[in-house]
Amino acid sequence: MHSYSLIAPAKINLYLEIIGDRPDGYHELAMLLQSIDLADRIHLRPNGIQTIRVHCDDPQVPLDESNLAYKAAALMAGQFSDAYSRYGGVEISIQKRIPIGAGLAGGSTDAAAVLVGLNLMWSLGLTQSELQELGERLGSDVPFCIVGGTAIATGRGEQLSSLRSLDHLYAVLAKYRDLPISTVWAYKTYRQQFQNTYVAINNLVERKQRVHSGSMVAAIASQDNQRIGQLLHNDLEKVVLPAHPQVAELRDKLGQLETLGVVMSGSGSTVFALVESQFQAERVRQELRELLPDPNLELWTTRLTHMGIQVVS
Ligand code: ATP
């Protein structure tokens, strides 16, 4: 049996709107998700024993059953117990490049890579949509991470429609090293403060359909970079920025530079600027470093990509 190496890209949110409460207790969301070429590397090696083990070069990442990559392997082992008994377990090694608790779906993309890799290792022959159905049980970003690219995500974030690729654009990401933000906290706080603005449950379907004809989708379809930049939006900024002045300052400073637009990704704490070239990305990165010389501020220049999980060997 083979070992597999996979590339697991991060995502950014070009748009995140909280529409309302769903009957199942989750939030109904309208998002535009975008893969970027900042990625973890996942290596899967069959170990021939009935055990799943996680290794990671970042000591902040949990190695136990709470790791999303572990959960993905355990889900596969439970669903395909014949294959698990026949082939045995797996050593999962994660080379962590995506910052943690950053709103970049780092854990979800690792889980997505494990689903894709074990499907190959155990010769299961599952289709992409079958893998996405399994992924949904692990987290609402996992189905997107499997396919990647540029997509509208509605429901809890798991109902996807692919859009025209934005591979020609770049993003400068900025995050304070010791400032992770809990996704659960951000959504809970939003509900406490803004539930009175939610669309009624019986209007959710109509509102969701309107997302597909929204301005941002039109801007992406026509590849109107300026408009895409102007329409970047994230409702969660309303709770994260007041609670974390450092993130608010970061967004403010990045907003002073010449870019297409600036917004926070997911529940933060990453803030990103969209730009039109690698050259501009490097310039913005340098200018931001001069404005905020804090050594705890980490910066990345990345390219937008149409790729989801990729098998490299
Ligand atoms: P999202 O954008 O999906 O909300 P995030 O990027 O904000 O996610 P993650 O980096 O996925 O957040 O990490 C959130 C929590 O998940 C961390 O507290 C971490 O301990 C835990 N975790 C579990 N598995 C992983 C993993 N494989 N990689 C990173 N974090 C993980």
Side-chain angles (χ1 to χ4, degrees):
M1 225 188 337
H2 296 292
S3 294
Y4 286 91
S5 281
L6 302 106
I7 294 175
K11 64 90 185 138
I12 51 177
N13 296 77
L14 302 176
Y15 186 88
L16 190 161
E17 183 186 339
I18 298 175
I19 296 179
D21 273 323
R22 292 159 53 93
D24 62 10
Y26 285 91
H27 274 114
E28 180 72 31
L29 303 172
M31 298 190 287
L32 283 158
L33 301 176
Q34 173 64 56
S35 302
I36 54 175
D37 67 5
L38 175 67
D40 289 345
R41 187 65 88 105
I42 310 292
H43 190 71
L44 302 179
R45 186 172 62 77
N47 61 16
I49 51 173
Q50 303 291 300
T51 307
I52 298 160
R53 270 195 298 247
V54 179
H55 314 266
C56 185
D57 57 0
D58 184 333
Q60 280 178 282
V61 173
L63 302 179
D64 59 8
E65 293 86 353
S66 70
N67 191 299
L68 271 166
Y70 181 99
K71 285 188 184 173
L75 175 67
M76 292 293 265
Q79 288 291 306
F80 305 101
S81 46
D82 285 354
Y84 185 54
S85 316
R86 189 167 344 125
Y87 300 125
V90 60
E91 304 288 323
I92 304 169
S93 303
I94 304 172
Q95 264 178 290
K96 201 75 193 152
R97 296 295 169 267
I98 304 170
I100 298 161
L104 300 175
S108 301
T109 196
D110 294 350
V114 170
L115 297 181
V116 171
L118 286 182
N119 184 36
L120 295 171
M121 192 185 276
W122 294 347
S123 305
L124 298 171
L126 299 173
T127 61
Q128 191 171 69
S129 64
E130 285 167 336
L131 287 172
Q132 286 178 307
E133 267 170 49
L134 285 168
E136 213 180 304
R137 301 194 212 169
L138 299 163
S140 27
D141 283 339
V142 180
F144 170 75
C145 291
I146 292 173
V147 59
T150 309
I152 305 175
T154 53
R156 291 188 283 135
E158 82 293 357
Q159 295 164 25
L160 302 170
S161 315
S162 287
L163 296 174
R164 204 169 159 191
S165 144
L166 294 175
D167 286 22
H168 59 288
L169 294 179
Y170 292 77
V172 181
L173 314 187
K175 178 186 178 291
Y176 282 101
R177 190 171 285 115
D178 299 318
L179 184 55
I181 293 177
S182 150
T183 305
V184 173
W185 169 84
Y187 279 100
K188 200 176 75 185
T189 310
Y190 193 91
R191 179 176 279 125
Q192 281 162 2
Q193 293 183 16
F194 295 102
Q195 199 167 27
N196 59 338
T197 66
Y198 286 7
V199 169
I201 283 183
N202 46 5
N203 293 334
L204 286 181
V205 173
E206 187 266 335
R207 178 64 195 86
K208 199 164 78 174
Q209 279 160 354
R210 260 197 290 140
V211 174
H212 290 254
S213 55
S215 325
M216 182 59 120
V217 174
I220 293 172
S222 59
Q223 307 265 293
D224 184 341
N225 299 342
Q226 300 294 333
R227 191 89 183 108
I228 294 169
Q230 287 160 5
L231 291 168
L232 294 173
H233 173 82
N234 185 345
D235 271 342
L236 289 173
E237 287 187 340
K238 292 186 233 166
V239 292
V240 174
L241 300 186
H244 296 280
Q246 247 190 328
V247 183
E249 189 203 19
L250 180 55
R251 192 196 186 294
D252 184 48
K253 289 279 191 294
L254 200 46
Q256 291 169 17
L257 303 177
E258 203 182 307
T259 66
L260 292 169
V262 172
V263 77
M264 184 180 82
S265 184
S267 53
S269 57
T270 303
V271 172
F272 71 89
L274 219 52
V275 293
E276 285 180 299
S277 68
Q278 168 100 49
F279 176 76
Q280 256 182 318
E282 292 302 341
R283 182 177 48 73
V284 167
R285 177 187 169 134
Q286 219 173 325
E287 287 172 356
L288 186 63
R289 177 63 74 204
E290 282 159 24
L291 282 176
L292 290 170
D294 187 333
N296 279 320
L297 180 64
E298 293 188 287
L299 304 176
W300 297 262
T301 54
T302 64
R303 189 175 180 163
L304 277 49
T305 171
H306 64 280
M307 306 291 276
I309 302 299
Q310 299 142 67
V311 182
V312 284
S313 63

